[in-house]
Amino acid sequence: MIKLNNVTSGYMGVKIIKNISLTFEKGKIISIIGKNGCGKTTLLKTASKIIEPYSGDILLKGKNIFDMTSKETAKVISYLPQNRDIPNIRVYDLVMHGRFPYLGFPRIPAYEDKNKVQEALYMLGIEKYKNKNIRELSGGQRQKVYIAMVLAQDSDIVFLDEPTTYLDINHQLEILEIVKDLKKMGKTVVMVIHDLNSALTFSDMVCLIDKGEIIVYDKPQEVYESGEIEKIFNINCHEVCASDKYEKQYIFSYASNL
Amino acid sequence: MKAIDTLQKLSIRKSLINNKKAYNFFVISFLLTLLLVLIFISICVGSSNIEISDIIKAISNRCISTSEYKIINYVRIPRTLSAIIAGSGLAISGLILQSVLNNALASPTIIGVNSGAGLFTALATAFLPANFSIMPLAAFLGAFLATLAVYYLAKKTGASRMTIILAGVAVSSLIGAMTDTVLILFPDTVISRTSFIIGGLTGVTMNRLFMPGIIIFGSLIVTFIFGYDLNVLSLGDQTSKSLGLNVDKTRFLFIILSSLLSGSVISFAGLLGFIGLIVPHISRLIVGYDNRILIPTSVLIGSSFALFCDILARTLFAPYEVPVGIIMSFLGSPFFIYLLLNKKRRLMYD
C-alpha cells in the first residue's frame, strides 16, 4: 500500500499536481485517467520517486519513500515510462537489468537473479526472443520485454505510464491481460491510460484527474455514474452489453454542446 | 518452477552465451597479443634500430653506459608507455561520454576538456613563459575546471544529457574567446600553442608520465568496476532511476572520470582528441554494447592504435617525425568508414 498525503509536484518550479491525497491499495489495478496535460504522468512519476514533490509525503507501509535509498525503493516500486530510448541491447540483458537493485559489486547475477529473469521471460512468452537485439522487435514485443524487466525487478508496486499507447489492438489486450496476471501475483498496478473503456473495464479503481487535482477516485462503476468523465472530457458515455457472453463495455461519442 | 527449470535445461541460451564468452575471450587475447607485439616493435624501431639481443642484454645486464640502454630506458620505454597510457585514457574518456550522454559524437571536447586545457596552457605560457614544467599541471587543471563548470551549469538546469551538451558548447565557446584574447594580448604564446594543438609524444619522460599514469590507471579501474552501472544508465534517466541507480551521482562520477582521463593525457601529449571519438565506435562494432567487455576492448584497441600510429610517426620519414595526430586521422578515418560500410556489423551496431 502506498499513500500520498497532500502532494504537490511539477517541473522547474511549475506546480502540475496540487495537494493530492490518495491511497493505492495492495493487490489492485488502479487506472489514472484525465485529459492531456492534466498531471497523470506527473502523479505517477512523483509516486514512484522519479521526481521529488515540492511538498507532501509519500508513505510506503508508513515509511516516507524519500527516506529510503534508491535501491531499497527499487525493490518495492518499479516504474515504466512511456517514452523510452531504444538501447542497443539483447532482450535477455535488458530483462537482467531488472535485477540491478539486487546486485552488489561486482554486479554479477546470482542463480536467483538468473531464475527470476528466466521466469519473467517465460511468463511474458518472450523466451524465443531472448538473444535478439530489442531494436529488431516490434513495438508490442518491446513493451513485453520492458514489462518482463519490471517483473524481474520483483517489486510489489508497479507503475505503468500508458502501457498500451501506440500498440495494435491485439497487443493492447495482451498487455492488459498481463496487467491482470500481475494483479494475480499480488502486485499493485497503477497505470496511466488513455483508453477509457479499458480503464473502466480492467481496473479495480479509477482515478480521474483534471488540472492537477483529483476529481473522483472510486470503483469504475461509481466513476462512470458520477458523470464526471462526460464533464471533464466533454463527451457522451454509454454503458453497453452485447450479450451475457461478453463483459460490459463503454462507448463514447463527441458532445459538442455540453 | 519445474517448468522453468526444464526450460532452462532445454534452453540454447547457455551455449550461445558460452559462444559469446569464447568470442570475447578470443578478441581480448588477440588484442593483447597485438599490443605486446606492438610494444616490442615500438622498443626496437626508431631512428636507430635496436636488435632483440641488445634489448635483452641492455635490460638484463643493466649496462648503463651503452647507448642501447640509454635509448631504451630514456626514450623508447617512456614513449611506448606514453602511447599506451594516452591511447587507453582517451579511448575510455570518449567511451564514457558517448555512453553517459548517449551521443555518438561525444568526445572529451564536448565537456570543455580541450578548451579548458587550451586556456590554462595559454595563460601559463603568457604569465610564466620560462616555467615549462607547469604546463602539464596547467593543462590538467584547465580541463578539470572546465568540466566542473559544464557540469555545474548543466546541473542547475536538470543535468540531462542535452543540457550537458549545451552547457559544454556554451562553456567551450566562452573559454575559446578567453583563449583568443590571451593569444592576441600575448602573441608569443601562439608559438607553443601549435605543438599543443597538434599533440605528440616526443620527449615524454618517465617523470612527466608518473602522475598522469597513476590517475589514468586509477580511473580505468574505477570505470571498469562501474561498467555495469554505465550499461544501466544507457537505458535513459527515468528507467535507470526506477531500477535504483542514482542517476545524478553516477553521471557526475563518470563525467569526472572522463575529465580525469583526458585531462591527464592532455597534460603530457597535448590534444590527441581523435582516439576518444573513434576507438569506442570501433570497439562497439567488434564486441557490442556491454561495457564490461567494451571497456577492456577499448583500452586494448586505444593503446594499440596509439602505439601503431606512434611507430609510424617516427619511422615513416625517419629521422624526421610526423605528428602522431596526423597519422591517427589518416589511418583511423578510412578504417572507421570501412567498418561502417560493412553491412553485417552495421546491423549489429545501429
Side-chain angles (χ1 to χ4, degrees):
Chain A
M1 186 181 86
I2 188 161
K3 194 173 179 183
L4 281 75
N5 281 338
N6 288 317
V7 171
T8 297
S9 184
Y11 312 94
M12 314 284 281
V14 180
K15 291 173 183 171
I16 309 286
I17 54 167
K18 296 145 206 157
N19 295 317
I20 296 256
S21 294
L22 55 80
T23 304
F24 298 127
E25 294 288 347
K26 188 175 166 22
K28 305 263 188 215
I29 298 174
I30 300 125
S31 288
I32 300 172
I33 57 171
K35 289 198 290 188
N36 288 334
C38 71
K40 304 182 292 293
T41 297
T42 309
L43 172 61
L44 217 62
K45 282 184 186 174
T46 311
S48 56
K49 207 182 160 182
I50 300 296
I51 56 172
E52 206 167 332
Y54 299 133
S55 61
D57 299 315
I58 301 162
L59 304 172
L60 185 74
K61 292 174 190 165
K63 195 177 175 186
N64 194 326
I65 60 168
F66 287 92
D67 293 335
M68 295 162 73
T69 65
S70 306
K71 285 202 167 185
E72 275 172 2
T73 315
K75 287 177 187 172
V76 196
I77 296 174
S78 52
Y79 168 72
L80 200 58
Q82 183 206 352
N83 296 316
R84 296 180 296 260
D85 298 332
I86 306 166
N88 178 10
I89 191 169
R90 216 165 50 116
V91 167
Y92 182 86
D93 293 337
L94 181 70
V95 179
M96 183 55 88
H97 280 340
R99 300 302 297 166
F100 182 73
Y102 304 88
L103 300 179
F105 277 112
R107 312 278 194 237
I108 293 172
Y111 178 76
E112 195 198 339
D113 299 312
K114 290 177 184 171
N115 237 5
K116 288 274 180 196
V117 169
Q118 205 65 32
E119 269 179 54
L121 291 167
Y122 180 66
M123 189 185 150
L124 273 292
I126 50 171
E127 263 265 319
K128 53 184 176 288
Y129 309 132
K130 67 182 177 187
N131 287 310
K132 280 199 170 186
N133 191 307
I134 68 158
R135 291 180 176 181
E136 295 172 50
L137 305 181
S138 70
Q141 290 166 336
R142 269 181 211 156
Q143 188 67 308
K144 281 161 71 177
V145 173
Y146 272 98
I147 292 178
M149 183 185 81
V150 165
L151 199 62
Q153 198 173 335
D154 201 18
S155 59
D156 290 339
I157 304 160
V158 179
F159 290 98
L160 303 172
D161 195 356
E162 299 191 31
T164 55
T165 304
Y166 308 126
L167 302 184
D168 61 49
I169 187 68
N170 179 276
H171 277 114
Q172 280 184 35
L173 293 170
E174 192 180 5
I175 296 293
L176 290 170
E177 287 303 321
I178 292 165
V179 167
K180 275 186 180 173
D181 290 342
L182 293 176
K183 181 193 165 182
K184 278 182 204 156
M185 293 166 78
K187 295 182 189 298
T188 308
V189 183
V190 184
M191 57 181 177
V192 165
I193 193 158
H194 273 298
D195 181 355
L196 296 179
N197 180 52
S198 299
L200 292 167
T201 50
F202 277 87
S203 319
D204 298 307
M205 297 288 281
V206 171
C207 177
L208 174 63
I209 297 184
D210 192 43
K211 292 172 189 152
E213 287 172 8
I214 295 175
I215 304 300
V216 54
Y217 178 43
D218 215 325
K219 288 178 182 155
Q221 188 63 27
E222 272 70 34
V223 174
Y224 165 70
E225 284 171 4
S226 72
E228 293 293 346
I229 292 180
E230 295 184 314
K231 252 196 255 173
I232 300 292
F233 287 95
N234 195 18
I235 53 170
N236 294 315
C237 177
H238 304 283
E239 214 176 355
V240 287
C241 195
S243 74
D244 293 345
K245 275 202 283 182
Y246 297 102
E247 280 181 43
K248 190 163 55 182
Q249 299 290 313
Y250 297 87
I251 57 167
F252 306 91
S253 60
Y254 180 61
S256 59
N257 57 348
L258 258 177
Chain B
M1 286 301 286
K2 217 173 180 181
I4 290 157
D5 279 342
T6 321
L7 265 171
Q8 265 184 334
K9 279 174 197 164
L10 291 172
S11 166
I12 55 160
R13 182 179 68 88
K14 214 168 184 179
S15 66
L16 277 170
I17 283 183
N18 284 343
N19 284 344
K20 204 180 157 201
K21 274 185 181 169
Y23 173 74
N24 290 342
F25 180 75
F26 168 76
V27 170
I28 295 290
S29 311
F30 173 78
L31 290 172
L32 203 59
T33 315
L34 179 71
L35 181 63
L36 289 173
V37 170
L38 287 168
I39 290 173
F40 180 70
I41 296 171
S42 173
I43 292 174
C44 286
V45 302
S47 46
S48 72
N49 291 334
I50 299 170
E51 296 286 320
I52 308 166
S53 55
D54 291 335
I55 295 175
I56 297 165
K57 212 186 287 172
I59 293 170
S60 58
N61 298 339
R62 298 185 68 83
C63 312
I64 300 170
S65 55
T66 61
S67 60
E68 283 85 1
Y69 180 84
K70 282 176 185 163
I71 291 172
I72 292 168
N73 210 30
Y74 299 118
V75 180
R76 300 280 167 82
I77 290 180
R79 186 143 186 175
T80 306
L81 269 180
S82 68
I84 293 171
I85 293 172
S88 53
L90 289 174
I92 299 305
S93 177
L95 170 69
I96 288 173
L97 289 176
Q98 284 168 17
S99 301
V100 165
L101 304 177
N102 199 17
N103 188 322
L105 289 175
S107 70
T109 321
I110 221 155
I111 51 164
V113 165
N114 290 1
S115 56
L119 173 66
F120 272 59
T121 46
L123 283 172
T125 325
F127 293 105
L128 300 161
N131 197 345
F132 286 110
S133 59
I134 206 159
M135 292 290 276
L137 184 67
F140 179 75
L141 262 183
F144 193 65
L145 290 176
T147 310
L148 285 184
V150 168
Y151 194 78
Y152 177 76
L153 257 180
K155 200 169 165 54
K156 280 271 166 198
T157 49
S160 72
R161 295 162 183 162
M162 191 46 82
T163 53
I164 291 174
I165 293 169
L166 292 175
V169 171
V171 168
S172 293
S173 61
L174 177 68
I175 293 176
M178 289 159 83
T179 312
D180 289 341
T181 312
V182 174
L183 294 177
I184 287 166
L185 294 176
F186 301 90
D188 291 348
T189 55
V190 177
I191 301 161
S192 63
R193 189 167 170 77
T194 314
S195 61
F196 171 77
I197 288 171
I198 294 172
L201 304 167
T202 320
V204 176
T205 59
M206 288 300 253
N207 277 345
R208 254 178 91 182
L209 270 182
F210 184 70
M211 211 45 189
I214 287 178
I215 293 173
I216 289 172
F217 185 70
S219 303
L220 289 178
I221 298 284
V222 177
T223 309
F224 182 71
I225 290 173
F226 286 93
Y228 192 81
D229 295 29
L230 205 53
N231 287 352
V232 175
L233 196 61
S234 70
L235 298 182
D237 286 12
Q238 292 180 15
T239 308
S240 39
K241 243 183 201 177
S242 157
L243 290 169
L245 184 76
N246 194 325
V247 171
D248 289 348
K249 272 188 191 166
T250 309
R251 184 170 286 142
F252 182 67
L253 167 78
F254 278 115
I255 285 181
I256 293 302
L257 282 171
S258 174
S259 167
L260 285 173
L261 287 164
S262 50
S264 303
V265 174
I266 290 171
S267 74
F268 68 87
L271 301 182
L272 292 173
F274 188 70
I275 297 182
L277 178 68
I278 211 165
V279 170
H281 286 291
I282 294 173
S283 308
R284 249 179 241 119
L285 285 163
I286 296 169
V287 292
Y289 52 82
D290 188 345
N291 285 292
R292 289 168 298 179
I293 183 72
L294 194 55
I295 291 167
T297 307
S298 298
V299 164
L300 291 172
I301 293 180
S303 318
S304 304
F305 184 59
L307 207 49
F308 181 64
C309 292
D310 187 53
I311 292 167
L312 288 184
R314 59 196 155 97
T315 52
L316 271 183
F317 302 102
Y320 303 105
E321 266 197 48
V322 185
V324 71
I326 294 175
I327 301 279
M328 282 174 181
S329 300
F330 266 122
L331 285 182
S333 307
F335 180 60
F336 189 50
I337 291 166
Y338 160 75
L339 286 176
L340 281 177
L341 291 176
N342 185 326
K343 270 187 190 170
K344 256 189 185 173
R345 291 204 175 279
R346 200 175 64 228
L347 194 72
M348 188 181 91
Y349 183 64
D350 277 344

